[in-house]
Amino acid sequence: MTKLVVGSATDVGMVRSNNQDQYLVAPGLYAVADGMGGHAAGEVASQTAIEALRSAFEQRTSHTPASLVEAAKQANKAVWDRSRANRGMMGMGTTLVALGVVEDDDGSNGMAIAHIGDSRVYVFRDGALSQLTTDHSLVQELVDDGQISAEEATVHPQRHVLTRALGVEPSVQVDLINLSPQHGDRYLLCSDGLPREASSDQISAVLARFADPSEAAKELVSLANTRGGSDNVTVVVVDVMANDATGETLTVVSGPASTSPGSTPLPLGAIATDATVQSPVPVAALGTSVGAAAGGAQQQLGAPSGRAAKNRHQRGPGRSPRPITLRVVAFLLVFCLVVGGAIAGLAWYARSTYYVTISHGHITIFQGRPGGVLWFGPTLAERTRYTAGSVLASDALLLRQGQLEDSLHDARAYIARLLAKKRAAQQASHPSTTTTTGPPPKKRRTTTSSVATTSPTTPTTKARKPAPNSAAPTAPPA
Ligand code: MG
């Protein structure tokens, strides 16, 4: 009799905010899925795939390599249907590696792998690590074509581009690998977060050092995080504890019961030691431990080119377009209102007053404030025929600095007062002349004010409407 003992672990990693990986540890069936899609879609894709895979596999009365492939195709359909039913999940997908205990054609028992994407299955046998699956990725094609080395592939800018994924099309081609397990074999299922950070030698060293599969799984996840943890990382380790060469039935034997942090207990009959180290999304019906979601690996269709380009799926942080949410619209609206209100208030402050000064040699009225306020400069309101000599020297000094008035009417009245003040001073210094030749002071002041600033028929007063683009002398010449 052959016994399988399983350990598993998953973690969000050191960079991503959510875990879109998910794994399955169920009787005779082990799987890892690495979801792709914006927001929570990647999580939904991997969870949907795992649920459908297990459901389809368990519904079969006999488990064969073909039924494992069929289960994977059912998983593809489930993800595809779900993405079609939800606009926010359009384009989501997932990788999938599934290791199942199956009956071979001759009735003997063995194991098989169903594979889509760049999650991997390795076998650790006699101290050597061998990769059993071949990535469905662009860089793998470049390596196969001899264009880049395997080492260059690990840092290639397009290493995220998949050439095959589950759930992104109505049907999918599933790679099938038949296995002949041997006593002592250790099968390693993992998402790309592990090989992205750790070399084969480093993975081998961990598998050789930790006999307990649960401890080995935890250590591999820790290794990936120690070396950067740029992606979600998920590991399932399946140990074959007896030789099946005699044709004895492969039997799945439950290991010690355990639960994932924050998860529900594994159902009776589930396998092995579960060493999930990151709080997973509980999937009670599956007995799985799950990593979830947004901000992690994301997917969008890549531009097709070259071999197998018609079916490429690019993933990576921040590559999925984010829909404009109601919250974003509300924020923009409030932002515009606040900014618009501030600008309007500033404009009112800058334009709500007038000032009198001497500009181009004449006493002039401007609308605005001397020097302007930010980009709201003063504009010419009226230029009189009077010069600095028309008022007292002391008043002329004040005028050059600008005299603020609340309105155009007040500005005109202010000028009239200055002119009258000057005439009064002249009369005081030449009383006989004033008495015999000039009109009464009060009448002259009134007439002068009216003529100088308000009468539309007065040729000496030049009035303009405020113009936004009018030149606004901020330092009027004396
Ligand atoms: Mg990944």
Side-chain angles (χ1 to χ4, degrees):
M1 178 174 291
T2 299
K3 181 173 68 174
L4 302 179
V5 181
V6 185
S8 55
T10 187
D11 193 76
V12 69
M14 306 303 289
V15 175
R16 303 288 171 83
S17 59
N18 296 85
N19 193 346
Q20 295 186 319
D21 287 358
Q22 183 165 346
Y23 69 81
L24 169 66
V25 177
L29 184 62
Y30 320 97
V32 168
D34 180 354
M36 301 170 291
H39 299 276
E43 174 189 357
V44 173
S46 59
Q47 182 172 332
T48 302
I50 290 293
E51 290 174 355
L53 175 79
R54 179 176 182 177
S55 176
F57 192 74
E58 290 184 343
Q59 287 175 5
R60 296 280 178 152
T61 54
S62 64
H63 296 146
T64 65
S67 67
L68 182 63
V69 170
E70 184 57 32
K73 290 185 175 181
Q74 289 296 316
N76 181 82
K77 184 177 184 304
V79 176
W80 170 255
D81 288 346
R82 194 160 185 176
S83 70
R84 299 282 291 178
N86 188 325
R87 283 187 61 187
M89 296 178 183
M90 288 289 288
M92 71 175 180
T94 182
T95 69
L96 178 69
V97 284
L99 175 66
V101 177
V102 296
E103 293 179 4
D104 292 332
D105 294 338
D106 59 2
S108 64
N109 290 282
M111 300 178 78
I113 297 168
H115 167 229
I116 304 108
D118 66 353
S119 294
R120 294 179 176 177
V121 179
Y122 296 85
V123 62
F124 187 67
R125 178 180 291 173
D126 299 328
L129 186 70
S130 302
Q131 183 178 336
L132 298 177
T133 54
T134 301
D135 293 347
H136 300 135
S137 64
L138 176 63
V139 291
Q140 183 62 52
E141 289 186 355
L142 297 177
V143 171
D144 293 343
D145 290 342
Q147 297 184 40
I148 63 173
S149 67
E151 290 72 26
E152 290 171 331
T154 61
V155 294
H156 194 280
Q158 292 186 291
R159 61 187 179 279
H160 304 292
V161 178
L162 299 182
T163 53
R164 200 187 305 176
L166 186 145
V168 297
E169 292 184 355
S171 62
V172 68
Q173 180 183 350
V174 180
D175 283 1
L176 174 66
I177 304 169
N178 290 303
L179 304 174
S180 297
Q182 298 179 13
H183 171 65
D185 280 353
R186 172 167 269 189
Y187 291 94
L188 168 64
L189 291 72
C190 64
S191 60
D192 66 330
L194 178 62
R196 182 179 295 183
E197 304 294 354
S199 67
S200 295
D201 289 344
Q202 292 168 328
I203 295 172
S204 296
V206 172
L207 293 174
R209 189 162 70 248
F210 294 88
D212 182 89
S214 179
E215 291 299 316
K218 282 195 295 185
E219 189 62 22
L220 287 172
V221 167
S222 177
L223 173 65
N225 284 338
T226 301
R227 295 185 58 78
S230 62
D231 194 5
N232 308 146
V233 56
T234 299
V235 171
V236 176
V237 177
V238 181
D239 284 346
V240 180
M241 303 302 290
N243 194 344
D244 193 40
T246 59
E248 292 179 301
T249 300
L250 269 173
T251 302
V252 175
V253 178
S254 296
S258 66
T259 58
S260 302
S263 181
T264 54
L266 293 174
L268 293 176
I271 299 181
T273 54
D274 175 5
T276 300
V277 296
Q278 177 68 19
S279 58
V281 175
V283 185
L286 292 179
T288 61
S289 297
V290 187
Q298 298 176 353
Q299 175 202 356
Q300 61 187 22
L301 295 180
S305 63
R307 181 159 63 94
K310 64 181 180 180
N311 195 19
R312 284 181 182 167
H313 317 285
Q314 184 168 341
R315 58 186 185 176
R319 297 186 181 185
S320 179
R322 292 190 169 192
I324 298 177
T325 64
L326 193 60
R327 180 182 297 179
V328 172
V329 172
F331 171 79
L332 291 176
L333 191 60
V334 170
F335 178 80
C336 290
L337 287 174
V338 170
V339 173
I343 292 175
L346 191 64
W348 177 86
Y349 171 77
R351 304 280 299 163
S352 63
T353 191
Y354 291 79
Y355 71 96
V356 183
T357 189
I358 296 175
S359 173
H360 297 280
H362 292 266
I363 298 175
T364 306
I365 302 172
F366 287 92
Q367 184 178 9
R369 293 176 183 274
V373 178
L374 295 181
W375 54 88
F376 296 103
T379 56
L380 180 65
E382 287 182 3
R383 175 167 288 132
T384 72
R385 66 185 175 89
Y386 299 106
T387 64
S390 302
V391 299
L392 295 177
S394 58
D395 291 333
L397 285 174
L398 293 174
L399 280 180
R400 288 193 175 92
Q401 299 175 27
Q403 173 65 33
L404 282 176
E405 297 293 339
D406 292 336
S407 66
L408 183 60
H409 179 270
D410 291 347
R412 289 166 176 165
Y414 174 71
I415 294 173
R417 288 196 299 274
L418 295 187
L419 295 174
K421 190 175 173 184
K422 175 67 177 289
R423 282 193 297 272
Q426 289 175 334
Q427 289 173 354
S429 61
H430 305 286
S432 60
T433 302
T434 300
T435 303
T436 58
T437 62
K442 182 176 181 181
K443 184 176 180 181
R444 284 178 61 87
R445 280 201 301 274
T446 302
T447 301
T448 300
S449 173
S450 174
V451 168
T453 61
T454 62
S455 173
T457 59
T458 301
T460 55
T461 300
K462 183 177 181 181
R464 290 185 189 175
K465 292 182 179 178
N469 295 326
S470 297
T474 57

